[in-house]
Amino acid sequence: MTYLKTCTSAMALLVANAAAADTTLKLVEVITSPERTEVLQTLVDGFEANNPGVTVEIVSLPWGQAFEKLATMVAGGDIPDVVEMPDTWQALYAGSGQLASLKDHVAGWENGATLTDKTVAMGSQAGDLYMIPYGFYLRAMFYNKKLLAEAGVEAPPATMAEFMDASAKVSELDGKSGYCLRGGPGGTNGWIMLAATMNGSNDFFTSEGKSRINEPGSVEGIQFMIDMYQKGYAPKDSVNWGFNEIVAGFYSGTCAFLDQDPDALIAISERMSDDDFAVIPMPVGPSGKSFPTIGFAGWSIFNSTEHQEEAWDLVATLSSPEANAKWAQRVGVIPIHKGADQDPYFQTEQFKGWFDTLNGAQYEPTTMPTHLEQWGYFASTVLLETSQEALLGQRSAQDVADEWADLLTDEYAKWKASQ
């Protein structure tokens, strides 16, 4: 009988070990490209090598349909263990109680103390940590050294007035323009950023809940963008330009200035010598400050996972200083650990603008009010259509600003009422 019990116990242990060895984690990536997936797969391969018996299945969703596809998966019970979580979705999934808290995990993690304060703040909702961002998309200003020298511009612009003046001088060169203006899809950040910078504040609403986008300073920022286009300081067809067009406009030497995130650096560095361009913080406005927009994405765990510890081990591996540095360099984001700026890779004129922005008191990164239900509609449809009308002289800066303010004020009131 004792022998039988021993055999039974041994078999049970083997079954348990076999079950543990068959753990499969589903990881969904939503900002997908061949380059990103290749980097992610390399990091996952390293995780699997260090965790025998644990397999990671990567599911890649095309960004254009990612929100709907992930929502359909979750609603149908096909819920991933780990997900690449954009900042614009975080409030939705954390607010509905679907994400696991990472606070205790990070507290006991050997690399938790090296996460920057901004990383922890951005990954938190309502006082809890639901995401470890893997990097930041922070706006800064690329400039073409050769074009500025040819136009007689002695130094890159530090103020908005200098930015306008330098753009005017470059535009006097044959076939050249000052600014790669993003008048087409995805141009929201530029309009919001310039409005805030000229208004001296990145507060979207007053204490009474009224949108500040149509205040005099904000309207001045909107007019600044209109003037850049209508005075010929931006290419005529830039009214329809999106990301690919503005980046190509810069590396082709069509225009001297480009405000973009670090992900643009990948394509630009492949086509331009490091000696020919650099990156500086966004020029400051009349208040002595600028308000560059900042976005991020990161790794979250759904609380429905049956493999909480393994899922956390995967997130910890992807978020380690070594893995994050590799990810940041290949994907084009600002890394999340303290001291990352001391890496020789980031100690260049090309990265200096972003780190100067993060470390300078006169630069205040701006996050969009993505908690508003109709923010996506406003950014992708309303602002796009009305701003193009303004660029083409069909509407005034005040007119479009008033329309934007009415919509945002109403949306803020709805959100406030739901809290």
Side-chain angles (χ1 to χ4, degrees), residues 4 60 73 105 230 240 329 394:
L4 181 59
S60 302
M73 289 176 64
H105 288 298
Q230 294 184 352
N240 293 311
Q329 293 173 20
Q394 298 167 0

Side-chain angles (χ1 to χ4, degrees), residues 35-252:
E35 167 76 5
R36 295 169 69 94
T37 302
E38 178 186 344
V39 180
L40 180 60
Q41 185 64 63
T42 299
L43 298 177
V44 165
D45 288 345
F47 169 79
E48 291 179 336
N50 292 323
N51 292 269
V54 181
T55 301
V56 179
E57 174 192 358
I58 298 177
V59 177
S60 302
L61 303 181
W63 173 244
Q65 300 87 41
F67 181 81
E68 292 79 7
K69 286 184 177 293
L70 178 62
T72 299
M73 289 176 64
V74 172
D78 183 18
I79 306 175
D81 301 280
V82 176
V83 64
E84 179 183 18
M85 181 65 64
D87 54 356
T88 52
W89 306 0
Q90 183 186 15
L92 172 65
Y93 284 103
S96 59
Q98 297 183 77
L99 300 183
S101 170
L102 304 181
K103 182 178 289 188
D104 290 343
H105 288 298
V106 169
W109 183 35
E110 60 181 351
N111 297 310
T114 67
L115 293 174
T116 65
D117 293 342
K118 186 174 295 295
T119 298
V120 175
M122 293 294 188
S124 299
Q125 288 280 328
D128 208 339
L129 184 67
Y130 295 104
M131 178 215 295
I132 297 185
Y134 56 57
F136 300 100
Y137 298 95
L138 177 64
R139 198 57 57 97
M141 184 74 81
F142 291 74
Y143 71 94
N144 185 311
K145 295 179 180 181
K146 287 186 175 180
L147 285 182
L148 264 60
E150 189 177 348
V153 178
E154 296 182 358
T159 68
M160 292 292 287
E162 292 174 358
F163 174 40
M164 177 77 79
D165 182 64
S167 295
K169 289 179 179 178
V170 172
S171 299
E172 293 176 1
L173 301 175
D174 186 31
K176 304 299 181 182
S177 297
Y179 178 45
C180 287
L181 184 149
R182 188 170 182 171
T188 300
N189 284 25
W191 294 93
I192 297 299
M193 184 169 56
L194 293 194
T197 295
M198 296 305 290
N199 200 32
S201 173
N202 61 354
D203 291 332
F204 279 87
F205 303 97
T206 66
S207 57
E208 292 78 27
K210 185 180 184 300
S211 171
R212 302 191 64 180
I213 198 66
N214 65 340
E215 291 182 347
S218 297
V219 175
E220 186 179 349
I222 295 169
Q223 186 64 53
F224 187 101
M225 185 82 87
I226 295 171
D227 288 345
M228 290 285 278
Y229 182 77
Q230 294 184 352
K231 290 181 178 181
Y233 304 161
K236 189 173 183 180
D237 55 352
S238 66
V239 67
N240 293 311
W241 279 8
F243 177 82
N244 291 333
E245 291 81 10
I246 59 174
V247 173
F250 183 77
Y251 66 62
S252 67

Side-chain angles (χ1 to χ4, degrees), residues 23-38:
T23 299
T24 298
L25 298 175
K26 179 178 289 187
L27 185 160
V28 169
E29 61 165 342
V30 301
I31 307 176
T32 307
S33 72
E35 167 76 5
R36 295 169 69 94
T37 302
E38 178 186 344

